[in-house]
Amino acid sequence: MIFKPQKYRIKDESMINFIDPEEINDYLNRAKPTTDMVRQVIEKSLNKERLNLEDVALLVKATDLEQIEMIKDGAKTLKRNIYGNRIVLFAPLYVGNLCNNNCKYCGFRASNSKAERKTLNDQELYENVVALEQNGQKRLILVFGEHQKYNAQYIADTVRKVYNIKSGNGEIRRVNINAAPLDIADFKTVKESGIGTYQIFQETYHPEAYKKYHLSGKKADYNYRVTSLDRAMEAGIDDVGIGVLFGLYDWRYEVLALVRHTNHLEACYNVGPHTISFPRLQKALNLDVDEQYLVNDEEFTRIIAILRLAVPYTGMILTARETAEIRREVLQYGCSQIDAGTKIEIGAYAEKFQKNQELKKEQFQINDNRSLNDVIEELIEQDYLPSFCTACYRLGRTGEHFMEFSVPGFIKRYCSSNAMLTLAEYLMDYAPPETAEKGWKLIEKSMLDLEGFQNIDEVHARLMRIKNGERDLYF
Ligand code: SAM
Ligand code: SF4
């Protein structure tokens, strides 16, 4: 099973392109998985040993149905044994869709003259954030096109404004960013505003496919994009998110490249990405893509199971691009965060929502339009514990996924306890009575899992304090 790739890259160096397509193809070409090999790789992951690229290549090359079942079962077991049943909830807030780039898959691209351009002004930002808070949201990701208007200062100012908007018991406690790559000084400016994660997706790690899909604008520079998060790290942002837009190039190559990117960040900065996202190509205004690499549902769910096994201590984000049905299935394989109550038409949280059939104000089409409460209720019914926890980030506990994975008792002490406290807040402030009833039952049941645990009395006490009106209690 052991083989040596023909060519090893020299040591990873900061801010230098680390993706070598030949190396990745070499791993892919050599991987000839048998059922035994696949089993060994899964066992390695379940034993909390790190998978290498050779192992991951075996998983992505597995085509035999039995092997695929083993991979999905392995991911389920890993998720259950290590992470338990928490799911963190957030919402995206599209701030503006001006864009200088021409990404062929995106409705916001500069050449899309039919796209309605809009940037939220202060009043609209306020109204949208209030609407999100009044729904019960506590964690947002702000999304921007790439445009001179959305410079680092603008992004930082927007983050500060969002943190300052309060409505009753509502407040946003964590603001993440999905925006264009910056230089080091600009990343520092954004960091100072108190962001959580800075997400930048490479879209495709394959240089030729990248060139084909990114026709003009700053994003056309592959090297600048692929080293973005190196600059973020150099600027002191150690909480970063990576991702691939599945459907642009062979998914097997992209999965290995995501792992390679993870290895690069770990080698250079001693910390891997906080999250991995796996958007899948959706309909968009004038979508212009080659269909040969589109990923079907079975492959998509398999990708998620493989990533869970390959990078077990990285958070995995699944968005409302996917249908409720797909989301239900892959939650079992280890996604730790989902958005809910999502609206991606700019300004739509505050407007009476009129679905825009022509996709003029949306970047792409989403497929799960359920409300936050509907999603929460379904999670509760399926025994997941919805969480709005922001504790690690606010207490400076970075690397929380790694700690969840490797520190015994971490999940009970912090994650489960905080999930219950934040769910209790939601049930008190925003949930309709039927959801509240189901939610309190779930909290009671989840308390049983803390039986014998040192801080159980304190969790009880804090739940009582929340019932009596206190807010924002966390461990
Ligand atoms: N403009 C910034 C950028 O390109 O990095 C911010 C991100 S963009 C607004 C958010 C992400 O949406 C992109 O990185 C891309 O992966 C994804 N996306 C774009 N078009 C899409 C489509 N048609 N279907 C699904 N996801 C898409
Ligand atoms: Fe602009 Fe981002 Fe869309 Fe590309 S993906 S066109 S950079 S908004």
Side-chain angles (χ1 to χ4, degrees), residues 88-95 138-144 155 158-159 162-163 172-179 190 193-201 237 239-241 274-275 277 317 337-338 389-390 393 400-401:
V88 172
L89 295 162
F90 70 96
L93 174 60
Y94 277 70
V95 179
K138 295 281 187 281
R139 305 168 57 107
L140 297 186
I141 180 153
L142 303 186
V143 187
F144 300 81
I155 295 174
T158 310
V159 171
V162 170
Y163 280 131
I172 300 303
R173 298 177 184 158
R174 178 176 174 124
V175 177
N176 299 331
I177 299 292
N178 186 323
V190 175
S193 66
I195 60 160
T197 310
Y198 203 109
Q199 275 186 355
I200 298 172
F201 305 155
I237 300 180
D239 184 334
V240 299
H274 187 219
T275 53
S277 300
I317 302 184
Q337 286 189 37
I338 59 170
C389 178
T390 52
Y393 143 78
E400 77 240 37
H401 288 299

Side-chain angles (χ1 to χ4, degrees), residues 113-303:
S113 54
K114 284 206 181 129
E116 283 175 25
R117 303 288 163 182
K118 172 133 190 74
T119 305
L120 296 179
N121 62 30
D122 282 357
Q123 181 60 24
E124 290 162 337
L125 183 74
Y126 175 82
E127 287 170 9
N128 276 272
V129 174
V130 165
L132 285 156
E133 289 177 351
Q134 289 180 350
N135 240 314
Q137 303 281 4
K138 295 281 187 281
R139 305 168 57 107
L140 297 186
I141 180 153
L142 303 186
V143 187
F144 300 81
E146 179 157 4
H147 191 267
Q148 54 280 10
K149 183 175 171 92
Y150 314 135
N151 60 24
Q153 195 56 52
Y154 188 90
I155 295 174
D157 289 347
T158 310
V159 171
R160 290 194 177 91
K161 284 177 197 162
V162 170
Y163 280 131
N164 283 327
I165 298 171
K166 316 270 175 188
S167 158
N169 284 335
E171 60 181 354
I172 300 303
R173 298 177 184 158
R174 178 176 174 124
V175 177
N176 299 331
I177 299 292
N178 186 323
L182 302 171
D183 63 24
I184 294 176
D186 283 347
F187 270 127
K188 282 187 182 157
T189 302
V190 175
K191 179 184 163 57
E192 280 161 17
S193 66
I195 60 160
T197 310
Y198 203 109
Q199 275 186 355
I200 298 172
F201 305 155
Q202 184 61 25
E203 322 293 11
T204 169
Y205 286 91
H206 193 264
E208 279 161 35
Y210 190 91
K211 201 167 161 197
K212 184 169 118 190
Y213 281 110
H214 300 96
L215 297 178
S216 59
K218 237 177 156 178
K219 195 165 164 183
D221 184 343
Y222 178 98
N223 281 354
Y224 187 74
R225 184 100 180 164
V226 88
T227 52
S228 307
L229 296 173
D230 288 66
R231 293 191 298 283
M233 290 278 187
E234 295 287 338
I237 300 180
D238 59 2
D239 184 334
V240 299
I242 63 175
V244 151
L245 179 54
F246 281 101
L248 300 183
Y249 187 66
D250 184 355
W251 64 264
R252 296 161 192 84
Y253 175 97
E254 306 288 16
V255 168
L256 257 68
L258 282 168
V259 177
R260 184 68 189 84
H261 197 167
T262 302
N263 294 347
H264 170 76
L265 293 174
E266 282 173 357
C268 292
Y269 307 100
N270 235 348
V271 47
H274 187 219
T275 53
I276 293 192
S277 300
F278 21 84
R280 180 164 58 149
L281 204 57
Q282 306 296 328
K283 277 189 204 142
L285 183 64
N286 297 329
L287 185 70
D288 180 10
V289 298
D290 172 353
E291 297 197 352
Q292 73 164 307
Y293 295 117
L294 293 184
V295 166
N296 66 31
D297 288 354
E298 191 288 312
E299 289 167 324
F300 184 69
T301 53
R302 194 170 1 139
I303 287 170

Side-chain angles (χ1 to χ4, degrees), residues 44 67 71 92 117 206 220 245 317 328 406 419 439 460:
K44 190 173 168 187
Q67 294 171 13
I71 290 171
R117 303 288 163 182
H206 193 264
L245 179 54
I317 302 184
R328 240 167 255 137
S406 55
H460 267 300

